[in-house]
Amino acid sequence: MTDNNKKIFLISLGCAKNLVDSENILGLLYSKDYPIVNDIEASDIVIINTCGFLQSSVEEAIEVILDVVERKKGGGIEKVIVTGCFVQRYGYKLKREMPEVDGWLGTGELDKITVMLEQDDEADAPFYIGRPTVLTDHEWPRIQTTPFYSAYIKIAEGCNHRCTYCAIPPIRGPLRSRNIKSVAAEAKAMSDRGVKEINLIAQDTTMYGADLKTGESIEKLLEELVKINGIEWVRLLYSNPYEISYSLLELMNSEKVIAPYLDIPLQHVNENILKSMGRELKGEKPAELIKRIRSYNRNLSIRTTMMVGFPGETDDAFLELYNFVKEAEFDHLGTFIYSPEPGTPAARLTGIPENEVSEYRRDTIMTLQSEISLKKNKAMVGRTVPVLVDGVSKETDLLLCGRTIRMAPDVDTQVLINSGEGIPGEIQDVMITEAHPYDLIGEIV
């Protein structure tokens, strides 16, 4: 049996949605008086919350687990527990392949973390996995690990879409939305402790409330959140391109607290590829969607991701994608190479381009985006814009960094501040003096 004096260190891998799970795990541990440390060298128990969405994330999870297990063999660490998507995806065979791990938890069993710690140390490594149905809410304990002024709120769990390349539905289960009262209560508590920026996350935020059948919607949720005193920015992440309603855009255009920012993973524009992806067009083509979003006078910023190398992607299909990116001039864009994920329908498709071809296509898109980003950034020079100061830059400790309301944390560009007195957590006016492809430089006014 693990006593409450054992110090625990947690490693969180993957996306912001996984980070919220990690914060809930820390909250559960803290509520049971387990000491939490931020240095693995000082820990007795290591918990690894894994991602398992792509092969690259699976490889990262395995690498981290093996590294921690090796530390355990060297002494100091007494127990290693693995949780999250990697466990949910690969199940009980992990126990056989990694016997050095002392416990396993799937995505729907996070509340059993303390039960696992309290079990007899001599017992066989416990493995908790089941159909993912858990939905954390404002009543769950949580320790915020992001900066004190910026936080994520997971408004829903799971997904009802069936994209052929995606392993998320079996890993995370069907769509389960929190009610508006719960989300607002969590946002109010965050505001009370100094949070100024809230980033709303889910597998698909625009589908929020569709499962409740009680009238909840992303628009109604946003209308409640903008009323909370102290919250200055509310940002919407992970939005399905086929669910961007006129009412949502009108609300974003009129409410200044809502960030003029849409994160829309388009993945591709060629109709044959989209059909193979299980993302058939619903009346509106991607170019028409971008035009509709850009028609509002608030000039909404758009972030997207593109996938190259999907089975059946011909030179002509790629050229169509390239020309679309060139024409659309996205504010932020990421490109990744398709990875055939075991168990997904797309993994059975043939006609995957050679890896060298896919790498060339990815690099070509990103070179184009670099040129677009530089052009957009140059247009900012001489302007003074509100910037949320994040603190010392990770790139150089000689500069502060921050973000405008059109930049999401961790994934987008940043503003480097080389003059003036910046205060972390404050929104301050910064005059932009230089532009680079992925960074702006400015000074506090």
Side-chain angles (χ1 to χ4, degrees):
M1 185 177 202
T2 301
D3 65 65
N4 284 29
N5 293 321
K6 299 297 183 182
K7 297 183 287 293
I8 299 176
F9 179 76
L10 187 143
I11 299 171
S12 188
L13 305 175
C15 65
K17 297 181 286 293
N18 226 34
L19 179 64
V20 172
D21 289 344
S22 295
E23 293 180 340
N24 283 133
I25 291 172
L26 291 174
L28 287 168
L29 295 172
Y30 185 77
S31 70
K32 296 291 186 178
D33 297 322
Y34 284 94
I36 298 164
V37 296
N38 56 13
D39 181 2
I40 192 170
E41 299 290 345
S43 66
D44 302 301
I45 299 169
V46 177
I47 299 172
I48 307 167
N49 190 22
T50 59
C51 179
F53 174 44
L54 297 172
Q55 194 58 39
S56 57
S57 58
V58 169
E59 291 169 1
E60 181 188 26
I62 293 172
E63 183 179 339
V64 171
I65 293 168
L66 293 178
D67 178 67
V68 176
V69 163
E70 199 62 33
R71 285 175 177 267
K72 177 188 171 187
K73 291 178 181 176
I77 296 174
E78 299 175 13
K79 186 174 288 190
V80 179
I81 294 173
V82 181
T83 73
C85 296
F86 175 64
V87 183
Q88 189 72 28
R89 183 171 183 183
Y90 291 98
Y92 288 101
K93 68 179 181 180
L94 295 176
K95 189 173 181 178
R96 181 180 66 252
E97 295 176 1
M98 295 182 173
E100 304 90 347
V101 172
D102 301 287
W104 304 86
L105 287 171
T107 56
E109 313 291 338
L110 299 184
D111 56 334
K112 292 188 174 64
I113 184 67
T114 56
V115 174
M116 178 173 288
L117 290 174
E118 291 163 3
Q119 288 190 344
D120 191 334
D121 290 347
E122 301 303 317
D124 188 37
F127 202 121
Y128 293 115
I129 190 170
R131 187 170 180 267
T133 57
V134 70
L135 178 62
T136 57
D137 60 17
H138 66 290
E139 295 183 341
W140 270 63
R142 179 177 171 188
I143 293 179
Q144 183 178 321
T145 59
T146 53
F148 70 90
Y149 50 83
S150 177
Y152 295 98
I153 294 182
K154 190 190 292 190
I155 62 175
E157 183 60 273
C159 186
N160 287 348
H161 298 301
R162 291 297 180 266
C163 301
T164 60
Y165 54 84
C166 184
I168 288 296
I171 292 175
R172 288 287 179 173
L175 175 67
R176 308 179 303 282
S177 302
R178 296 168 57 181
N179 61 54
I180 289 176
K181 185 177 180 181
S182 172
V183 178
E186 185 170 15
K188 175 64 167 58
M190 287 178 169
S191 174
D192 290 344
R193 63 175 187 260
V195 171
K196 295 181 178 179
E197 174 191 45
I198 285 178
N199 300 283
L200 303 179
I201 55 175
Q203 301 301 332
D204 176 7
T205 51
T206 43
M207 284 296 289
Y208 167 80
D211 57 308
L212 297 178
K213 311 300 182 185
T214 52
E216 276 95 341
S217 67
I218 192 62
E219 294 89 347
K220 289 182 180 179
L221 174 61
L222 289 169
E223 287 170 352
E224 288 301 311
L225 295 181
V226 299
K227 298 175 185 176
I228 299 174
N229 290 330
I231 301 299
E232 300 190 38
W233 294 355
V234 176
R235 181 177 289 100
L236 197 61
L237 298 173
Y238 311 121
S239 300
N240 189 289
Y242 309 121
E243 307 294 340
I244 307 295
S245 67
Y246 283 91
S247 57
L248 174 60
L249 295 178
E250 288 164 2
L251 183 62
M252 296 179 74
N253 191 55
S254 61
E255 288 287 355
K256 301 308 178 186
V257 173
I258 304 174
Y261 180 102
L262 278 168
D263 173 20
I264 313 171
L266 289 167
Q267 311 299 13
H268 217 285
V269 295
N270 177 268
E271 291 191 26
N272 290 331
I273 296 296
L274 289 173
K275 185 176 181 180
S276 292
M277 288 181 170
R279 296 170 66 90
E280 291 95 335
L281 297 174
K282 296 183 180 180
E284 186 178 45
K285 294 183 179 180
E288 295 168 339
L289 171 63
I290 301 307
K291 182 178 180 180
R292 177 160 65 92
I293 294 171
R294 292 245 167 92
S295 68
Y296 291 84
N297 57 27
R298 202 178 174 200
N299 186 26
L300 304 181
S301 180
I302 306 174
R303 172 181 179 79
T304 193
T305 53
M306 296 298 181
M307 183 191 300
V308 296
F310 193 79
E313 186 186 52
T314 62
D315 289 341
D316 286 344
F318 171 72
L319 182 60
E320 184 180 349
L321 175 63
Y322 179 89
N323 288 335
F324 171 73
V325 171
K326 185 176 182 179
E327 182 70 24
E329 294 192 339
F330 291 102
D331 300 275
H332 310 281
L333 181 144
T335 304
F336 63 99
I337 296 172
Y338 165 73
S339 168
E341 299 300 318
T344 62
R348 299 192 294 269
L349 297 177
T350 59
I352 299 177
E354 294 290 331
N355 194 56
E356 297 78 18
V357 173
S358 296
E359 288 178 350
Y360 169 79
R361 291 173 179 175
R362 177 198 59 199
D363 295 345
T364 301
I365 292 287
M366 292 312 298
T367 298
L368 171 62
Q369 181 60 29
S370 176
E371 296 167 357
I372 292 169
S373 182
L374 179 59
K375 172 186 170 183
K376 285 178 171 284
N377 283 349
K378 282 183 175 179
M380 295 288 292
V381 174
R383 293 179 56 187
T384 297
V385 292
V387 169
L388 177 57
V389 180
D390 280 322
V392 176
S393 168
K394 294 178 182 178
E395 297 177 6
T396 168
D397 56 10
L398 299 177
L399 299 177
L400 292 175
C401 66
R403 294 173 289 107
T404 72
I405 197 171
R406 300 170 186 275
M407 299 173 180
D410 301 321
V411 294
D412 289 336
T413 54
Q414 61 182 348
V415 179
L416 297 174
I417 301 168
N418 62 4
S419 178
E421 187 175 343
I423 304 171
E426 293 296 317
I427 298 174
Q428 299 177 262
D429 285 339
V430 173
M431 186 176 74
I432 305 302
T433 57
E434 293 180 42
H436 298 275
Y438 294 113
D439 288 323
L440 295 166
I441 296 179
E443 54 191 38
I444 302 288
V445 175

